[in-house]
Amino acid sequence: MKEVKGVKGMKKTLLLLFLAASWITLHAASFQQPATYDLLIRGGRILDGSGNPWFYGDVAVKDGRIAAVGAIADAKAARVIDAAGKFVTPGFIDLHSHSDAGLASMELRHSPNMVAQGITLSVVNQDGRSPRWPIRDQKALYEKQGIGTNAVLMVGHGTVRTRVMGQRDTQVATDADIAAMQKLVDEGMRDGAAGLSTGLEYDPGRFSETREVIALTRAVKPYGGFYISHERSEGADPMWKVASDPTPFVSLLEAVQETITIGRETGVRVVASHLKAKGQTYWGSSVAATRLIREARAQGVEVYADQYPYETSGTDGNTVLVPGWALVPPGESSANQLSAGARGGGGGVKDRFKARLAIDDDVRKIRIDIAHEIDRRGGASRIMINEFPEPKYVNKSLQFIADDLKMPPLDAVIWLQLNGADRAGGARMRGFSLAEIDMDEIMKQDFTATCTDGDTVRFGQGTPHARFYGTMPRKIRYYALDRKVIELPFAIRSMTSLPAQIIGLKDRGLLRAGNWADIVVFDPNTIADTATFTEPHQYPTGIPFVFVNGVAVVDGGKITGATPGKVLGTGVFSTDPAKLGTGVAR
């Protein structure tokens, strides 16, 4: 009996030994060979883009994608970056970018001023303008020559409107016009666009009715697309920007309500882009604007906003306080001639303005329009003169000049036009038309993403807005770390997972295994925007590493010139309805 038990015990032991040997053989490779990656970012404080607090961990990258996030032991990589003391985040997404022309340029396609601030994806063709048509040609150009950031392309409403209506694009669209425009929007979405953009404050968008925009927005819904708008007003503005002309005023609240209506009627995600309360007498209205959005969301309308973190708008600092119609000869303009060309370039501006000042009724209208524009630009104390023939007035406010000349600010504007350079306004100036109370209110909302509203620029050329270089680091440094208007994880979310959600991207915006490796490493002690409005061409500090699809576009603080970006969109290149909205970016 004991012998039987011994045999059974021996058999059991042999079976256990066999199973152990099999397991060891099966897993020998993993014991002998640690996981190997292309890139391993070690020991950073990870802000994964969700809005959650940071945690210590590593990020591993393989074949352009995130392979693992967390404590990654016994791993090898072709390159290891020590991120101790630094934050590791998803790449920043610029929800409203004007980099489309820069990305098309062989010189600027690597987007130096964008990648330097951590931007890894730019949503272009904004304000209703698609610079190339058809969209597939723009996409093909970017893919052929290479681009530094990823790009999402929008169908521009204004471009579509002009292609259908031609010189009639200043008229109300007919049903036939709208049907033709819908076909072009559908074509653009099939070519790989991600949605529709409008510029309802600009020509020809301002001539559209809400019903037209609703109809065109419906055309992006089958593709899972979204709608983003430069709205009809950002404060309280007459339709033609001429306060003396008896045209309807459009308010910020009416403009926000229009965006909400478009979302409600179509079921499409909608964005009130670069939301702001513009003009001295309109400060504080952000509270009402954000309330409208919150209430709409509570009712089931998927409406969002985006914002750039600066108190001044305008791209190039060429604020003009004199109405454009007053800078062309009498009898040659109407109230709605307000394009940049009508603002009186090419000399002779002073003489044309003097001719207008000789007409009593024109003088009355000019003064009404200047008063409105002073208020719209933030008031006389917040309008700064950046360039003028008299040096003592450079970098001084309009109020300073008015006090020095012992005249009201309105008369000082007329004096600047008559005594300055022979150009519109007589001086180059910038108005700080936004208030920090509104900046803070809009930024605190969980539906507000971040954007630059900026372009890719040649270093040292022109006088661009400081946001072209500093948007993302400014929000982190000034608003999150220094003033603590928002928490840092909240700020990072507004640049990463939130815009990804708005666009409809499933594999970007979060540090998650399987997502594309768009990654930023920044130092919380040194990150800062350095661009100013007198010296805008300055790169930010404190962002030593930026990766796009796993490739370094900023390495050790230096821009590499790499072009690993991809064009993202619906990815629909088929007429099969079953495949709509199922592209790689969704």
Side-chain angles (χ1 to χ4, degrees):
M1 194 69 182
K2 291 182 179 178
E3 182 179 347
V4 173
K5 289 183 178 178
V7 171
K8 287 183 178 179
M10 183 179 296
K11 288 181 177 180
K12 185 176 181 181
T13 300
L14 289 173
L15 177 61
L16 291 173
L17 289 172
F18 173 77
L19 291 174
S22 298
W23 188 89
I24 291 170
T25 301
L26 184 64
H27 294 83
S30 62
F31 286 133
Q32 296 169 3
Q33 183 66 44
T36 301
Y37 303 107
D38 299 325
L39 172 67
L40 187 59
I41 303 173
R42 284 280 196 195
R45 284 181 278 178
I46 295 175
L47 284 167
D48 64 6
S50 67
N52 290 334
W54 64 265
F55 60 92
Y56 282 117
D58 313 316
V59 178
V61 175
K62 180 75 173 179
D63 297 329
R65 290 185 181 267
I66 298 171
V69 179
I72 306 172
D74 300 324
K76 292 184 178 180
R79 182 177 187 189
V80 177
I81 292 175
D82 181 3
K86 298 179 178 62
F87 284 105
V88 183
T89 76
F92 303 149
I93 298 175
D94 184 357
L95 194 59
H96 185 125
S97 171
H98 291 282
S99 290
D100 33 80
L103 292 170
S105 162
M106 286 298 292
E107 179 187 356
L108 297 173
R109 61 197 175 114
H110 60 294
S111 296
N113 56 298
M114 295 298 176
V115 298
Q117 55 178 302
I119 292 170
T120 60
L121 191 160
S122 299
V123 183
V124 299
N125 300 355
Q126 299 287 352
D127 296 348
R129 302 170 185 141
S130 298
R132 288 178 180 265
W133 194 270
I135 291 289
R136 58 181 170 271
D137 287 352
Q138 182 183 14
K139 182 176 186 291
L141 174 65
Y142 289 174
E143 291 176 337
K144 180 180 178 180
Q145 70 178 28
I147 52 179
T149 66
N150 299 306
V152 164
L153 313 182
M154 304 297 286
V155 176
H157 164 243
T159 297
V160 166
R161 198 173 208 274
T162 299
R163 291 186 69 83
V164 168
M165 299 179 66
Q167 293 184 344
R168 294 189 300 110
D169 68 1
T170 58
Q171 300 175 14
V172 173
T174 65
D175 290 344
D177 292 330
I178 292 173
M181 284 188 269
Q182 284 180 312
K183 290 182 179 179
L184 287 183
V185 173
D186 182 80
E187 175 189 332
M189 295 301 291
R190 289 181 181 276
D191 281 352
L196 178 72
S197 80
T198 59
L200 301 181
E201 191 181 20
Y202 305 128
D203 294 347
R206 73 176 71 199
F207 299 99
S208 66
E209 296 178 317
T210 305
R211 74 181 187 98
E212 172 189 328
V213 183
I214 288 173
L216 300 192
T217 302
R218 285 197 175 110
V220 311
K221 185 173 177 57
Y223 301 89
F226 72 105
Y227 168 84
I228 187 168
S229 182
H230 177 118
E231 299 176 300
R232 294 188 193 272
S233 178
E234 297 172 331
D237 292 318
M239 185 172 179
W240 310 122
K241 302 300 181 194
V242 181
S244 61
D245 187 64
T247 55
F249 271 69
V250 180
S251 73
L252 166 65
L253 302 186
E254 290 172 318
V256 169
Q257 189 59 60
E258 182 182 36
T259 299
I260 292 169
T261 298
I262 292 165
R264 178 178 285 115
E265 293 296 318
T266 64
V268 169
R269 302 183 304 280
V270 297
V271 185
S273 200
H274 44 60
L275 186 62
K276 59 178 73 74
K278 190 173 183 178
Q280 188 177 34
T281 59
Y282 224 63
W283 291 341
S285 58
S286 60
V287 175
T290 54
R291 176 183 57 80
L292 286 175
I293 295 175
R294 285 196 305 275
E295 290 177 353
R297 290 186 63 84
Q299 296 162 7
V301 182
E302 195 174 350
V303 55
Y304 301 88
D306 64 42
Q307 175 194 48
Y308 53 79
Y310 292 89
E311 294 176 71
T312 176
S313 60
T315 297
D316 58 3
N318 281 320
T319 293
V320 177
L321 303 175
V322 177
W325 64 265
L327 303 179
V328 296
E332 292 189 16
S333 70
S334 61
N336 63 356
Q337 283 184 294
L338 292 171
S339 66
R343 287 184 179 269
V349 177
K350 292 181 181 181
D351 290 338
R352 294 195 290 270
F353 188 52
K354 287 177 183 177
R356 291 286 192 174
L357 292 176
I359 303 171
D360 289 344
D361 193 50
D362 281 1
V363 172
R364 179 184 64 82
K365 293 178 179 179
I366 286 169
R367 295 181 71 84
I368 292 173
D369 291 345
I370 290 175
H372 173 74
E373 197 64 16
I374 290 174
D375 178 84
R376 181 171 175 265
R377 296 295 179 177
S381 65
R382 290 171 63 89
I383 298 171
M384 304 302 296
I385 311 302
N386 296 327
E387 186 178 297
F388 190 72
E390 177 57 61
K392 74 174 182 176
Y393 291 148
V394 175
N395 294 329
K396 296 294 193 299
S397 70
L398 174 61
Q399 187 65 58
F400 174 90
I401 295 171
D403 292 343
D404 190 65
L405 295 172
K406 295 180 173 55
M407 61 177 64
L410 193 154
D411 292 314
V413 171
I414 296 174
W415 184 90
L416 288 169
Q417 182 66 80
L418 294 174
N419 293 274
D422 196 19
R423 49 154 291 169
R428 187 170 65 81
M429 60 187 80
R430 174 176 290 283
F432 290 77
S433 55
L434 315 179
E436 201 141 74
I437 55 171
D438 293 305
M439 300 293 300
D440 294 355
E441 174 69 18
I442 293 168
M443 190 175 293
K444 290 175 182 178
Q445 307 306 314
D446 61 4
F447 53 71
T448 301
T450 308
C451 75
T452 68
D453 194 19
D455 199 349
T456 305
V457 290
R458 292 176 177 83
F459 188 84
Q461 188 172 105
T463 53
H465 196 292
R467 67 187 184 225
F468 283 37
Y469 285 87
T471 293
M472 304 300 177
R474 176 175 173 80
K475 188 164 187 176
I476 292 170
R477 173 85 275 150
Y478 181 67
Y479 285 94
L481 297 178
D482 290 350
R483 290 189 58 231
K484 302 187 186 305
V485 174
I486 52 177
E487 295 295 328
L488 182 58
F490 189 87
I492 297 302
R493 171 186 166 275
S494 78
M495 308 173 184
T496 56
S497 67
L498 177 59
Q501 174 178 309
I502 294 169
I503 299 165
L505 302 176
K506 305 299 184 186
D507 50 9
R508 297 180 194 269
L510 288 166
L511 294 182
R512 293 283 190 273
N515 281 8
W516 287 98
D518 297 339
I519 302 171
V520 172
V521 179
F522 72 85
D523 186 335
N525 297 312
T526 59
I527 188 169
D529 60 311
T530 61
T532 67
F533 294 101
T534 55
E535 297 183 26
H537 293 281
Q538 299 188 76
Y539 290 114
T541 59
I543 306 179
F545 298 101
V546 181
F547 295 89
V548 174
N549 300 315
V551 177
V553 291
V554 176
D555 195 336
K558 296 181 179 179
I559 298 166
T560 67
T563 55
K566 301 175 183 291
V567 180
L568 313 177
T570 59
V572 176
F573 302 98
S574 168
T575 57
D576 180 358
K579 296 181 180 179
L580 296 183
T582 60
V584 295
R586 311 311 303 175

